[in-house]
Amino acid sequence: MKTLLIYPGTFDPVTLGHLDLIRRSCEHFSRVIVAVAETTHKKAIFSLEERVEMVRMAAQTLPSAGRVEVESFSGLLVDYMRSNKASVALRGLRAISDFEYEFQLAQMNRKLYPEFEIVFMMPDEKYTYISSSLVKEVASLGGDISAFVPGAVMDYLMEKYSKTKSGG
């Protein structure tokens, strides 16, 4: 059995769907590193430090919190995995459209790092429609996001969008 799993992503912000995958992956791996990516192609609304802090706060609420580490990384995922002597990464799939992109990414990563393996997990069905992008959109328009993100993350989003609306 593999002991280390890397769960990479931008987590801008972390959602209950992400937490569901983290919690469930802890049932199969003794150590899970949530690797928060310094984004280059996505425009994040939160800084890397804020995203790491949000994931840390959210992960502390999990029963298996002691087995979850949160780190940031930049550059190629395969380089980060090599530096951690890891070969298994987790990616979440909500829909067929996710699979097409993730499949292509997994094949590229395997070509770059032959030891690379990917574990795909689907979130609980109550989270399948949640994405960080949709959460940000609802929050920016003043909608209730309490069913989509942990409380601390909701506070971050409310503060971010209240500053945006007030010009700060």
Side-chain angles (χ1 to χ4, degrees):
M1 178 173 141
K2 298 285 184 181
T3 58
L4 174 60
L5 175 76
I6 306 283
Y7 182 19
T10 52
F11 305 101
D12 186 46
V14 64
T15 68
L16 293 177
H18 294 127
L19 281 183
D20 177 57
L21 295 183
I22 295 167
R23 179 190 58 77
R24 291 175 35 230
S25 65
C26 286
E27 295 171 10
H28 304 284
F29 292 84
S30 59
R31 187 171 158 225
V32 174
I33 298 176
V34 181
V36 182
E38 178 181 25
T39 182
T40 55
H41 65 281
K42 291 183 180 180
K43 183 162 171 53
I45 66 164
F46 293 105
S47 70
L48 181 60
E49 294 77 20
E50 288 172 317
R51 290 182 282 129
V52 167
E53 181 61 24
M54 283 188 283
V55 175
R56 279 194 180 123
M57 288 187 316
Q60 287 175 355
T61 66
L62 299 173
S64 50
R67 297 202 325 254
V68 178
E69 300 168 40
V70 182
E71 299 180 353
S72 64
F73 79 100
S74 61
L76 291 173
L77 171 62
V78 293
D79 291 338
Y80 177 78
M81 292 181 67
R82 273 191 196 101
S83 72
N84 280 282
K85 297 179 176 51
S87 61
V88 183
L90 169 68
R91 295 299 291 167
L93 296 176
R94 296 168 302 201
I96 294 293
S97 57
D98 286 347
F99 178 77
E100 291 174 17
Y101 173 75
E102 294 295 342
F103 179 80
Q104 185 179 20
L105 199 57
Q107 294 294 53
M108 177 63 77
N109 283 330
R110 185 174 287 153
K111 188 70 172 172
L112 295 170
Y113 182 37
E115 293 82 11
F116 182 87
E117 290 293 340
I118 192 83
V119 171
F120 292 114
M121 290 179 77
M122 296 178 298
D124 186 290
E125 66 184 42
K126 64 186 171 193
Y127 304 124
T128 56
Y129 64 93
I130 299 174
S131 72
S132 294
S133 299
L134 284 175
V135 167
K136 288 184 287 194
E137 185 173 349
V138 171
S140 73
L141 297 169
D144 179 8
I145 55 169
S146 60
F148 313 130
V149 295
V153 173
M154 188 169 70
D155 295 342
Y156 264 87
L157 279 160
M158 302 307 276
E159 181 179 337
K160 179 69 76 175
Y161 286 114
S162 70
K163 285 181 181 176
T164 303
K165 288 181 183 175
S166 66

